[in-house]
């Protein structure tokens, strides 16, 4: 019921396992046209002891245990990793989250 009125549901690095009822509720929300953004951290489900992959599996998505994006540089980056030091949210995501186009900031 709570999710039904939402444009998007965002899970920012879940710390606890989803219950069976929560998984069913989110899957129902998505099947009815809802949108979801799920974020994770270094180590993914294994490091956090969560079950977000149980939710993502039906959609062909899997959170790997390695990092694909870092906020701090290291001496060598893996070829599949990217360093993000100062980012701007993409227009489509910003519009979905805030209902308006992003405003470019002046340098």
């Amino acid at each position: 019921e709570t999710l039904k009125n939402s444009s998007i549901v965002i899970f920012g690095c879940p710390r606890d396992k989803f219950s069976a009822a929560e998984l069913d509720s989110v899957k129902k929300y998505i099947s009815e046209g809802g949108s979801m953004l799920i974020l994770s951290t270094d180590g993914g489900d294994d490091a956090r002891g969560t079950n977000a992959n149980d939710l993502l599996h039906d959609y062909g998505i899997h959170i790997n245990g390695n990092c694909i994006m870092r906020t701090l540089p290291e001496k060598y980056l893996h070829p599949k990793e990217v360093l993000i030091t100062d980012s701007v949210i993409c227009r489509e995501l910003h519009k979905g989250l805030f209902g308006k186009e992003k405003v470019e900031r002046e340098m």
Side-chain angles (χ1 to χ4, degrees):
E1 183 67 29
T2 303
L3 296 178
K4 186 169 76 172
N5 298 319
S6 303
S7 301
I8 185 170
V9 61
I10 300 172
F11 297 104
C13 300
R15 293 180 284 187
D16 299 314
K17 289 189 175 197
F18 292 101
S19 69
E22 289 169 331
L23 290 172
D24 290 341
S25 179
V26 173
K27 287 178 183 181
K28 180 179 181 214
Y29 165 75
I30 292 170
S31 72
E32 293 175 350
S35 298
M36 174 181 67
L37 173 64
I38 190 159
L39 306 170
S40 189
T41 187
D42 234 355
D45 268 1
D46 294 336
R48 309 269 308 171
T50 61
N51 61 344
N53 279 327
D54 293 348
L55 175 62
L56 300 172
H57 180 266
D58 292 349
Y59 310 102
I61 301 170
H62 181 82
I63 299 172
N64 292 328
N66 58 354
C67 185
I68 60 167
M69 183 170 38
R70 297 190 190 276
T71 55
L72 298 172
E74 293 185 8
K75 186 172 181 181
Y76 301 104
L77 292 176
H78 186 278
K80 294 183 179 179
E81 293 178 345
V82 61
L83 172 65
I84 297 179
T85 57
D86 186 25
S87 62
V88 177
I89 201 165
C90 74
R91 289 176 202 255
E92 292 80 13
L93 184 55
H94 191 278
K95 189 172 183 179
L97 290 172
F98 304 108
K100 59 184 178 182
E101 294 289 330
K102 69 182 177 80
V103 177
E104 296 293 333
R105 62 182 177 178
E106 293 184 24
M107 298 293 193

